[in-house]
Amino acid sequence: MRALSSLWRLTVGKKIIMAATGAGLCAFVLGHMAGNLKIFLGREVFNHYAEWLRHIGEPLLPPTAGLCVARLGIIACAALHITMAVQLYLLSDAARPTRYNKVDNSLVLSRTSLMMRLGGVTLGAFILFHLAHLTWGWICPGEYVAGDPYNNVIAGFQHSWLAAFYLLAMVPLCLHLYHGIWSAFQTLGLNSPRYNALRRPLALAFSLLVFVGNASIPLAVQAGVLHL
Amino acid sequence: MKLTLHVWRQSGPTAPGRFETYVAPDVNEHMSFLEMLDVVNERLTAEGKEPFAFEHDCREGICGSCGMVINGRPHGKTGLTATCQLHMRHFSDGEELWIEPYRAKAFPVIRDLIVDRSAFDRIIQAGGYISARTGSAPEANAILVPKPAADWAMDAAQCIGCGACVAACPNASAMLFLSAKVSHLGLLPQGQPERYERVQRMLEQHDAEGFGNCTNHGACEAVCPKGISLDFIAKLNRDMLASALRAPVAQE
Ligand code: HEM
Ligand code: SF4
Ligand code: FES
């Protein structure tokens, strides 16, 4: 037990949890994007897909149980990821109580950690906004129709400020993914001279794919390609 | 050449510190950095002033005692050298240098530029050893070591425990040091019996000493006088994961 709990107690363990849950969130982001793209296949297909999500696992599981489990998994990942990020930040901050008077900028690279930490917080805020917009329907500028996500997405993105906001929000997400995916290989010890050179390109390809895929929807609505 | 030095002065662990400025008017480019400091100190002594304290021993880059931070860079700007091997020819006339001790909670300042690095000793004591049969020396080739493992272990074993990695790390993490010490034993057959216990114990001690956590920045690798690679940190992470999930552990 002591060995297992070291994942929770020790810094490297916490970092491993952060990378593993980050990988889980990456898988979700990719799947979520793929699902979103079904909107290009029309109202019928998109709404049917949204409805299908509620019935995952049937008839093995009762209705919506599958979706609940998936949601709980994602929430657990996000909660662990954020908890570890905050704990590690506090630990590291305390490890250098006195700062240097002269700083060598080529060493500090503080832009990257600022991007991960502040960018991560921005990302968290965006995720809450996104839920309030399309899941709970609290801040939907068009008319929110429960059970008609096709309508809710398009009615929302017809407002140019909202479309622009979503486009902008993809920037912290994709920067976080770009550094995070590269970094997670190191954290999980998946590091080998055989493929180390591929880590940056892979991270870039993944984050660009997520950017282009997700950005295409508000852009298509604004261009009039997608309409009610 | 003439240099202006701003040197950190601190009379004791709890005393407040401050920079004092000295002008070194006649620095010879063939001097090492420590020799330059010796000359400044001799002059201070002759003037009846207190020379400033810095640590040194071998002066050939193998003992690891001479680290200090020069213009924000542990061991100075050249890379792959300890402060004692840094030569004044890398500086130019009229340059201004800020010389500070390592700054980390786990490395408290003792005096001026000297910090207490015994946290490293305690990390080694926690697991940086192997069990060996005592008595007569075993036959040299009784245990075969694959060449790549031997080479890699040798790379890790180059770490001189200078602490520059901690000083450079934005999180004051000792992960590069720790990974070198864990790897140079863990890569060899002789290090296998304690391989996973070692990771757990040394990491536990690392955290208890108050070092921070690695964010994969690489500032450590950039300043390490021995060129210890970040790949050892990845290897440490892998061993840590294995030690948590599947390694045999003694009765807890
Ligand atoms: C909700 C707010 C979030 C916060 C506050 C946050 C914060 C952080 C922080 C501080 C790091 C460490 C960076 C470093 O050590 O340099 C990190 C790493 C990471 N994050 Fe996030 N993050 C968030 C959301 C996400 C999401 C939604 C994903 C995936 C889609 C994600 C994927 C990753 C990955 C893969 C890593 C790499 C782990 C590693 O460094 O080894 N994060 N995150
Ligand atoms: S890893 Fe390099 S910088 Fe760190 S203590 Fe060892 S020799 Fe010094
Ligand atoms: S004095 Fe020994 S390494 Fe510099």
Side-chain angles (χ1 to χ4, degrees), chain A residues 1-4 6-7 9-16 18 88-89 91-104 106-110 112-113 117 179 182-193 196 199, chain B residues 8 19 69 71-74 98 100-106 166-172 175 200 203-204 206-207 210-217 219 222-223 230-231 233-238 240-241 243-245 249 252:
Chain A
M1 239 9 240
R2 192 161 171 75
L4 192 61
S6 64
L7 282 176
R9 276 183 298 115
L10 302 180
T11 49
V12 174
K14 289 178 194 290
K15 185 81 195 245
I16 287 173
M18 186 149 82
L88 287 175
Y89 167 71
L91 276 171
S92 295
D93 197 52
R96 172 151 305 129
T98 320
R99 312 268 143 190
Y100 289 105
N101 289 276
K102 181 92 181 165
V103 176
D104 184 326
S106 68
L107 281 187
V108 179
L109 291 166
S110 54
T112 317
S113 58
R117 290 166 183 171
H179 182 75
W182 170 84
S183 177
F185 278 94
Q186 170 86 1
T187 303
L188 296 173
L190 302 171
N191 171 310
S192 158
N196 270 345
R199 282 163 57 198
Chain B
W8 187 258
F19 281 100
V69 178
N71 281 353
R73 248 188 127 84
W98 297 81
E100 296 178 68
Y102 291 172
R103 302 212 186 266
K105 182 167 121 198
V166 175
C169 175
N171 309 302
M175 223 48 88
Q200 290 270 326
L203 188 57
E204 191 121 26
H206 168 279
D207 289 2
F211 293 107
N213 141 75
C214 176
T215 49
N216 304 337
H217 270 73
V223 303
L230 279 187
D231 291 349
I233 301 185
K235 183 171 160 39
L236 169 80
N237 295 341
R238 190 157 63 227
M240 156 74 200
L241 191 55
S243 74
L245 295 184
V249 273
E252 290 180 344

Side-chain angles (χ1 to χ4, degrees), chain B residues 153-167:
Chain B
M154 198 58 214
D155 287 346
Q158 286 201 62
C159 168
I160 55 177
C162 66
C165 43
V166 175

Side-chain angles (χ1 to χ4, degrees), chain A residues 17 21 25 69-83:
Chain A
I17 292 184
T21 52
L25 292 171
V69 170
R71 280 184 172 160
L72 283 179
I74 297 164
I75 292 170
C77 276
L80 276 171
H81 190 80
I82 296 170
T83 311

Side-chain angles (χ1 to χ4, degrees), chain A residues 96 100 107, chain B residues 64 67-69 73-76 81-83 102 107 117 120 160-169 173 176-177 219-225:
Chain A
R96 172 151 305 129
Y100 289 105
L107 281 187
Chain B
M68 57 185 79
V69 178
R73 248 188 127 84
H75 294 308
T81 47
T83 307
Y102 291 172
F107 285 168
R117 283 176 293 131
F120 271 12
I160 55 177
C162 66
C165 43
V166 175
C169 175
S173 174
L176 194 64
F177 164 80
C220 52
E221 190 184 53
V223 303
C224 174

Side-chain angles (χ1 to χ4, degrees), chain B residues 7 41 197 199 238-239:
Chain B
V7 185
N41 270 347
E197 291 263 356
V199 178
R238 190 157 63 227
D239 276 11

